[in-house]
Amino acid sequence: MNNRIEELYLEAEADIRNNNYHEAFQKHENILYEEPTYAPSHNSLGWIYKTQLDNYEKAENHFIAAIKSDPQYPHPYFHLASLYIDIEKFNELARHLEKCLQVNTVDKGWIYYRYGMMDELKANYAHAIRHYKKAILNSLSNEKIKDYQADIERCQTKQEILEEGKEVKENQG
């Protein structure tokens, strides 16, 4: 890889921060034309496809290409998990998170947090709480720990509401 590609990448990322998505998209496409396995550009294109164009298939393809190109580059793991949650591909998400646990550059607390989100969305609150607790145990950030504690409290509230609903049904029957 050469300095020109790195400079173009930094320009493209600045374009994204400044909401110049068209320019960023073209720069990342140019980078991949010269360097087809440049993981950061695949990741950024995936992000643009997901967040700006709502093209989840192309986004997924770019995130996967980024992971294949540089398995230690952490960003596409995060974005791919987010995509799978957004489109409710929970089986793919579970396989992806299992793979993430094997990558030393991916934050383990974040992985368990995503497991918790998945379980919460599936109304498996007890499992979600266990995963959020694992996220706390794997986190070194006080802010994240507070967030994970709030996630646990939210699941406990949902679990209580479910139990109350079951009791009402039983009493009516």
Side-chain angles (χ1 to χ4, degrees):
M1 177 178 9
N2 60 42
N3 285 344
R4 191 176 95 56
I5 287 179
E6 290 171 345
E7 288 174 21
L8 192 56
Y9 172 77
L10 293 175
E11 287 176 22
E13 292 303 292
D15 286 337
I16 288 173
R17 283 189 298 281
N18 293 320
N19 300 322
N20 298 324
Y21 302 113
H22 178 74
E23 292 85 356
F25 185 90
Q26 290 192 325
K27 288 174 183 170
H28 284 300
E29 286 275 306
N30 289 338
I31 290 169
L32 291 177
Y33 181 76
E34 289 185 40
E35 187 70 42
T37 60
Y38 190 61
S41 282
H42 275 295
N43 178 63
S44 293
L45 279 175
W47 183 87
I48 291 170
Y49 275 116
K50 177 185 179 284
T51 63
Q52 304 306 306
L53 302 172
D54 296 323
N55 188 328
Y56 300 111
E57 184 178 339
K58 285 188 178 182
E60 180 180 17
N61 290 338
H62 277 288
F63 294 141
I64 290 169
I67 290 167
K68 285 181 182 175
S69 295
D70 185 355
Q72 294 302 304
Y73 184 61
H75 304 289
Y77 292 99
F78 303 132
H79 294 303
L80 186 58
S82 175
L83 181 141
Y84 286 151
I85 285 173
D86 289 350
I87 60 176
E88 298 182 1
K89 281 187 161 184
F90 297 129
N91 290 335
E92 289 87 344
L93 177 61
R95 284 191 295 273
H96 176 65
L97 293 175
E98 194 62 36
K99 185 191 307 183
C100 288
L101 285 171
Q102 308 307 313
V103 181
N104 62 358
T105 56
V106 178
D107 176 5
K108 302 309 180 257
W110 172 88
I111 296 167
Y112 289 114
Y113 165 67
R114 290 297 182 171
Y115 271 122
M117 285 179 69
M118 178 178 63
D119 285 328
E120 184 176 354
L121 288 169
K122 293 165 66 176
N124 294 331
Y125 302 118
H127 286 106
I129 290 168
R130 280 198 293 275
H131 282 117
Y132 290 140
K133 286 180 178 180
K134 283 184 177 182
I136 289 171
L137 292 173
N138 283 276
S139 181
L140 298 175
S141 165
N142 290 334
E143 267 318 295
K144 286 183 179 179
I145 288 172
K146 287 178 189 172
D147 290 342
Y148 300 150
Q149 288 171 324
D151 295 328
I152 290 169
E153 291 171 15
R154 184 181 59 247
C155 284
Q156 289 170 333
T157 299
K158 290 178 178 183
Q159 202 168 26
E160 289 170 10
I161 291 170
L162 260 183
E163 292 301 317
E164 289 170 6
K166 287 179 184 175
E167 289 175 19
V168 168
K169 275 188 174 179
E170 289 172 1
N171 289 335
Q172 290 175 348

